[in-house]
Amino acid sequence: MLFLVAALLLLGVVMGTVAHAPLGFSLAAAAVIAVWLGIFALRERHGRRRHTSTH
């Protein structure tokens, strides 16, 4: 429960910061995060195909 409260508090701080940032900066930051998550997802998918489970 404490983790949920902390996560919501952090989300509120981040959303408040984005609301006061210029639109161009917000869009650039969102694009960087999206690319980073895309690369991470591709690496995870590629890594799982290469290393099969031996269960």
Side-chain angles (χ1 to χ4, degrees):
M1 183 70 179
L2 186 59
F3 175 76
L4 181 60
V5 171
L8 289 174
L9 180 64
L10 183 61
L11 179 65
V13 169
V14 171
M15 293 303 289
T17 302
V18 170
H20 294 288
L23 182 61
F25 175 77
S26 298
L27 292 176
V32 168
I33 292 169
V35 168
W36 176 53
L37 289 174
I39 291 170
F40 176 76
L42 288 174
R43 290 182 64 190
E44 285 292 314
R45 179 176 292 178
H46 182 67
R48 285 192 183 157
R49 281 191 209 162
R50 186 184 301 175
H51 303 292
T52 58
S53 177
T54 57
H55 290 206

Coordinates of all heavy atoms in Angstrom, one line a residue:
M1 N 0.8 -1.2 0.0 CA 0.0 0.0 0.0 C 0.9 1.3 0.0 O 0.6 2.2 -0.7 CB -0.9 0.0 1.2 CG -1.9 1.1 1.3 SD -3.1 0.9 0.0 CE -4.1 2.3 0.3
L2 N 1.9 1.2 0.8 CA 2.8 2.4 0.8 C 3.5 2.6 -0.5 O 3.7 3.7 -1.0 CB 3.9 2.2 1.9 CG 4.8 3.3 2.2 CD1 4.0 4.6 2.6 CD2 5.8 3.0 3.3
F3 N 3.8 1.5 -1.2 CA 4.4 1.6 -2.6 C 3.5 2.3 -3.5 O 3.9 3.1 -4.3 CB 4.8 0.2 -3.1 CG 5.3 0.2 -4.5 CD1 6.6 0.6 -4.8 CD2 4.4 -0.2 -5.5 CE1 7.0 0.7 -6.1 CE2 4.9 -0.2 -6.8 CZ 6.2 0.3 -7.1
L4 N 2.2 2.0 -3.4 CA 1.2 2.6 -4.3 C 1.1 4.1 -4.0 O 1.0 4.9 -5.0 CB -0.2 1.9 -4.1 CG -1.3 2.4 -4.9 CD1 -1.0 2.2 -6.4 CD2 -2.6 1.7 -4.6
V5 N 1.1 4.5 -2.8 CA 1.0 5.9 -2.4 C 2.2 6.6 -2.9 O 2.1 7.7 -3.5 CB 0.9 6.0 -0.9 CG1 1.0 7.5 -0.5 CG2 -0.5 5.5 -0.4
A6 N 3.4 6.0 -2.8 CA 4.6 6.6 -3.3 C 4.6 6.8 -4.8 O 5.0 7.8 -5.4 CB 5.8 5.8 -2.8
A7 N 4.1 5.7 -5.5 CA 4.1 5.8 -6.9 C 3.1 6.8 -7.4 O 3.4 7.6 -8.4 CB 3.6 4.4 -7.5
L8 N 2.0 7.0 -6.8 CA 1.0 8.0 -7.2 C 1.6 9.4 -6.9 O 1.3 10.3 -7.6 CB -0.3 7.8 -6.5 CG -1.1 6.6 -7.0 CD1 -2.3 6.4 -6.1 CD2 -1.5 6.8 -8.4
L9 N 2.3 9.6 -5.8 CA 2.9 10.8 -5.4 C 3.9 11.2 -6.5 O 4.0 12.3 -7.0 CB 3.5 10.8 -4.1 CG 4.2 12.1 -3.6 CD1 3.2 13.2 -3.4 CD2 4.9 11.8 -2.2
L10 N 4.8 10.3 -6.9 CA 5.8 10.5 -7.9 C 5.1 10.8 -9.2 O 5.6 11.7 -9.9 CB 6.7 9.3 -8.0 CG 7.8 9.4 -9.0 CD1 8.8 10.6 -8.6 CD2 8.6 8.1 -9.1
L11 N 4.1 10.1 -9.6 CA 3.4 10.4 -10.8 C 2.8 11.8 -10.8 O 2.9 12.5 -11.8 CB 2.2 9.4 -11.0 CG 1.4 9.6 -12.3 CD1 2.2 9.4 -13.5 CD2 0.2 8.7 -12.3
G12 N 2.3 12.3 -9.7 CA 1.7 13.6 -9.6 C 2.8 14.7 -9.7 O 2.6 15.7 -10.4
V13 N 4.0 14.4 -9.2 CA 5.1 15.4 -9.3 C 5.6 15.4 -10.8 O 5.8 16.5 -11.3 CB 6.3 15.0 -8.4 CG1 7.5 15.7 -8.7 CG2 5.9 15.1 -6.9
V14 N 5.7 14.3 -11.4 CA 6.1 14.3 -12.8 C 5.1 14.9 -13.7 O 5.5 15.7 -14.6 CB 6.4 12.8 -13.2 CG1 6.7 12.7 -14.7 CG2 7.6 12.3 -12.5
M15 N 3.8 14.6 -13.5 CA 2.8 15.3 -14.4 C 2.7 16.8 -14.1 O 2.5 17.5 -15.1 CB 1.4 14.6 -14.1 CG 1.4 13.2 -14.5 SD 1.7 12.9 -16.2 CE 0.3 13.6 -17.0
G16 N 3.0 17.2 -12.9 CA 3.0 18.6 -12.6 C 4.1 19.3 -13.3 O 4.0 20.4 -13.8
T17 N 5.3 18.6 -13.4 CA 6.5 19.2 -14.0 C 6.2 19.3 -15.5 O 6.6 20.3 -16.1 CB 7.7 18.3 -13.8 OG1 7.9 18.2 -12.3 CG2 8.9 18.8 -14.4
V18 N 5.6 18.3 -16.1 CA 5.4 18.3 -17.5 C 4.4 19.4 -17.9 O 4.5 20.0 -18.9 CB 4.9 16.9 -18.0 CG1 4.4 16.9 -19.4 CG2 6.0 15.9 -17.9
A19 N 3.4 19.6 -17.0 CA 2.4 20.6 -17.3 C 3.0 22.0 -17.4 O 2.5 22.9 -18.1 CB 1.3 20.6 -16.2
H20 N 4.2 22.2 -16.7 CA 4.8 23.6 -16.7 C 5.9 23.7 -17.7 O 6.5 24.7 -17.9 CB 5.3 23.9 -15.3 CG 4.2 24.1 -14.3 ND1 3.3 25.2 -14.4 CD2 3.8 23.3 -13.3 CE1 2.5 25.1 -13.4 NE2 2.7 23.9 -12.7
A21 N 6.3 22.5 -18.3 CA 7.4 22.5 -19.3 C 6.8 22.9 -20.7 O 5.6 22.7 -20.9 CB 8.0 21.2 -19.4
P22 N 7.7 23.5 -21.5 CA 7.2 23.8 -22.9 C 6.8 22.6 -23.6 O 7.3 21.5 -23.4 CB 8.4 24.5 -23.5 CG 9.3 24.9 -22.4 CD 9.0 23.9 -21.3
L23 N 5.9 22.7 -24.6 CA 5.3 21.6 -25.3 C 6.4 20.9 -26.1 O 6.5 19.7 -26.2 CB 4.2 22.1 -26.3 CG 3.5 21.0 -27.1 CD1 2.9 19.9 -26.2 CD2 2.5 21.6 -28.0
G24 N 7.3 21.7 -26.7 CA 8.4 21.0 -27.5 C 9.3 20.2 -26.7 O 9.7 19.1 -27.1
F25 N 9.6 20.6 -25.5 CA 10.4 19.8 -24.5 C 9.7 18.5 -24.1 O 10.3 17.5 -24.1 CB 10.8 20.6 -23.3 CG 11.5 19.9 -22.3 CD1 12.9 19.6 -22.4 CD2 10.9 19.4 -21.1 CE1 13.6 18.8 -21.5 CE2 11.6 18.6 -20.2 CZ 12.9 18.4 -20.4
S26 N 8.4 18.7 -23.8 CA 7.6 17.5 -23.4 C 7.6 16.5 -24.5 O 7.7 15.3 -24.3 CB 6.2 17.9 -23.0 OG 6.3 18.8 -21.9
L27 N 7.4 16.9 -25.8 CA 7.3 16.0 -26.9 C 8.6 15.3 -27.2 O 8.7 14.1 -27.5 CB 6.8 16.7 -28.1 CG 5.3 17.2 -28.1 CD1 5.0 18.0 -29.3 CD2 4.4 16.0 -27.9
A28 N 9.7 16.1 -27.0 CA 11.0 15.5 -27.2 C 11.4 14.5 -26.2 O 11.9 13.4 -26.5 CB 12.1 16.7 -27.2
A29 N 11.0 14.8 -24.9 CA 11.3 13.8 -23.8 C 10.4 12.6 -24.0 O 10.9 11.5 -23.8 CB 11.0 14.5 -22.5
A30 N 9.2 12.7 -24.5 CA 8.3 11.6 -24.7 C 8.9 10.7 -25.9 O 8.9 9.5 -25.8 CB 6.9 12.1 -25.1
A31 N 9.4 11.4 -26.9 CA 10.0 10.6 -28.0 C 11.3 9.9 -27.6 O 11.4 8.7 -27.9 CB 10.4 11.6 -29.2
V32 N 12.1 10.5 -26.8 CA 13.3 9.8 -26.3 C 12.9 8.6 -25.4 O 13.5 7.5 -25.6 CB 14.2 10.8 -25.4 CG1 15.2 10.0 -24.7 CG2 14.8 11.8 -26.4
I33 N 11.9 8.7 -24.5 CA 11.5 7.6 -23.7 C 10.9 6.5 -24.6 O 11.1 5.3 -24.3 CB 10.5 8.1 -22.6 CG1 11.2 9.0 -21.7 CG2 9.8 7.0 -21.9 CD1 10.3 9.8 -20.7
A34 N 10.1 6.9 -25.6 CA 9.5 5.9 -26.5 C 10.5 5.1 -27.2 O 10.4 3.9 -27.3 CB 8.5 6.6 -27.4
V35 N 11.5 5.8 -27.7 CA 12.6 5.1 -28.4 C 13.4 4.1 -27.5 O 13.7 3.0 -27.8 CB 13.6 6.1 -29.1 CG1 14.8 5.4 -29.6 CG2 12.9 6.8 -30.2
W36 N 13.6 4.6 -26.3 CA 14.3 3.8 -25.3 C 13.5 2.5 -24.9 O 14.1 1.4 -24.9 CB 14.6 4.7 -24.0 CG 15.2 3.9 -22.9 CD1 16.4 3.2 -22.9 CD2 14.7 3.8 -21.6 NE1 16.6 2.6 -21.7 CE2 15.6 3.1 -20.8 CE3 13.6 4.4 -20.9 CZ2 15.5 2.8 -19.5 CZ3 13.5 4.1 -19.6 CH2 14.4 3.3 -18.9
L37 N 12.2 2.7 -24.7 CA 11.4 1.6 -24.4 C 11.3 0.6 -25.6 O 11.3 -0.6 -25.4 CB 10.0 2.0 -24.0 CG 9.9 2.7 -22.6 CD1 8.5 3.2 -22.4 CD2 10.3 1.7 -21.5
G38 N 11.3 1.1 -26.8 CA 11.2 0.3 -28.0 C 12.5 -0.5 -28.1 O 12.4 -1.7 -28.4
I39 N 13.7 0.1 -27.9 CA 14.9 -0.6 -28.0 C 15.0 -1.7 -26.9 O 15.4 -2.8 -27.2 CB 16.1 0.4 -27.9 CG1 16.2 1.2 -29.1 CG2 17.4 -0.4 -27.7 CD1 17.2 2.4 -29.0
F40 N 14.5 -1.4 -25.7 CA 14.5 -2.3 -24.6 C 13.6 -3.5 -25.0 O 14.0 -4.7 -24.8 CB 14.0 -1.6 -23.3 CG 13.9 -2.6 -22.2 CD1 15.0 -3.0 -21.5 CD2 12.7 -3.0 -21.8 CE1 14.9 -3.9 -20.4 CE2 12.6 -3.9 -20.7 CZ 13.7 -4.3 -20.0
A41 N 12.5 -3.3 -25.5 CA 11.6 -4.4 -25.9 C 12.2 -5.3 -27.0 O 12.0 -6.5 -26.9 CB 10.2 -3.8 -26.4
L42 N 12.8 -4.7 -28.0 CA 13.4 -5.5 -29.0 C 14.6 -6.3 -28.5 O 14.7 -7.5 -28.8 CB 13.9 -4.5 -30.1 CG 12.9 -3.9 -31.0 CD1 13.5 -2.9 -32.0 CD2 12.1 -5.0 -31.7
R43 N 15.4 -5.7 -27.6 CA 16.5 -6.5 -27.0 C 16.0 -7.6 -26.1 O 16.5 -8.7 -26.1 CB 17.4 -5.6 -26.2 CG 18.2 -4.6 -27.0 CD 19.1 -3.8 -26.2 NE 20.1 -4.6 -25.5 CZ 20.9 -4.2 -24.6 NH1 20.8 -3.0 -24.2 NH2 21.8 -5.0 -24.1
E44 N 14.9 -7.4 -25.4 CA 14.3 -8.5 -24.6 C 13.7 -9.6 -25.4 O 13.9 -10.7 -25.2 CB 13.2 -7.9 -23.7 CG 13.7 -7.1 -22.5 CD 14.5 -8.0 -21.5 OE1 13.9 -9.1 -21.1 OE2 15.6 -7.6 -21.1
R45 N 13.0 -9.2 -26.5 CA 12.5 -10.2 -27.4 C 13.6 -11.0 -28.1 O 13.5 -12.2 -28.2 CB 11.6 -9.5 -28.4 CG 10.9 -10.5 -29.4 CD 10.0 -9.9 -30.3 NE 8.9 -9.4 -29.6 CZ 7.9 -8.7 -30.2 NH1 7.9 -8.4 -31.4 NH2 6.8 -8.3 -29.5
H46 N 14.6 -10.3 -28.5 CA 15.7 -11.0 -29.2 C 16.4 -11.9 -28.2 O 16.8 -13.0 -28.5 CB 16.7 -10.0 -29.8 CG 17.8 -10.6 -30.5 ND1 17.6 -11.3 -31.7 CD2 19.1 -10.6 -30.3 CE1 18.8 -11.7 -32.1 NE2 19.7 -11.3 -31.3
G47 N 16.6 -11.5 -27.0 CA 17.3 -12.3 -26.0 C 16.5 -13.5 -25.6 O 17.1 -14.6 -25.3
R48 N 15.2 -13.4 -25.5 CA 14.4 -14.6 -25.2 C 14.4 -15.6 -26.3 O 14.3 -16.8 -26.0 CB 13.0 -14.2 -24.9 CG 12.8 -13.5 -23.6 CD 11.4 -13.4 -23.2 NE 11.3 -12.7 -21.9 CZ 10.3 -12.0 -21.5 NH1 9.2 -12.0 -22.3 NH2 10.3 -11.4 -20.4
R49 N 14.5 -15.2 -27.5 CA 14.5 -16.2 -28.6 C 15.8 -16.9 -28.6 O 15.9 -18.1 -28.9 CB 14.4 -15.5 -30.0 CG 13.0 -15.1 -30.3 CD 12.9 -14.6 -31.7 NE 11.8 -13.7 -31.9 CZ 11.7 -12.9 -32.8 NH1 12.6 -12.8 -33.8 NH2 10.7 -12.0 -32.9
R50 N 16.9 -16.3 -28.3 CA 18.2 -16.9 -28.3 C 18.4 -17.9 -27.2 O 19.0 -18.9 -27.3 CB 19.3 -15.8 -28.3 CG 20.7 -16.4 -28.4 CD 21.8 -15.4 -28.3 NE 21.7 -14.3 -29.3 CZ 22.4 -13.3 -29.3 NH1 23.4 -13.1 -28.4 NH2 22.3 -12.3 -30.2
H51 N 18.0 -17.5 -26.0 CA 18.2 -18.3 -24.8 C 16.8 -19.0 -24.4 O 16.0 -18.4 -23.8 CB 18.6 -17.5 -23.6 CG 19.9 -16.7 -23.9 ND1 21.1 -17.4 -24.1 CD2 20.2 -15.4 -24.0 CE1 22.0 -16.5 -24.3 NE2 21.5 -15.3 -24.3
T52 N 16.7 -20.2 -24.9 CA 15.4 -20.9 -24.6 C 15.5 -21.5 -23.2 O 16.5 -21.9 -22.7 CB 15.2 -22.0 -25.6 OG1 16.3 -22.9 -25.6 CG2 15.0 -21.4 -27.0
S53 N 14.3 -21.7 -22.6 CA 14.2 -22.2 -21.3 C 14.5 -23.7 -21.3 O 14.1 -24.4 -22.2 CB 12.9 -21.9 -20.7 OG 12.7 -22.5 -19.4
T54 N 15.1 -24.3 -20.2 CA 15.3 -25.7 -20.2 C 14.4 -26.4 -19.1 O 14.8 -27.4 -18.5 CB 16.8 -26.0 -19.8 OG1 17.1 -25.4 -18.6 CG2 17.7 -25.5 -20.9
H55 N 13.2 -25.9 -19.0 CA 12.3 -26.5 -18.0 C 11.8 -27.8 -18.5 O 11.3 -28.0 -19.4 CB 11.2 -25.5 -17.6 CG 11.7 -24.3 -16.9 ND1 10.9 -23.6 -16.0 CD2 12.9 -23.7 -16.8 CE1 11.6 -22.6 -15.5 NE2 12.8 -22.7 -16.0

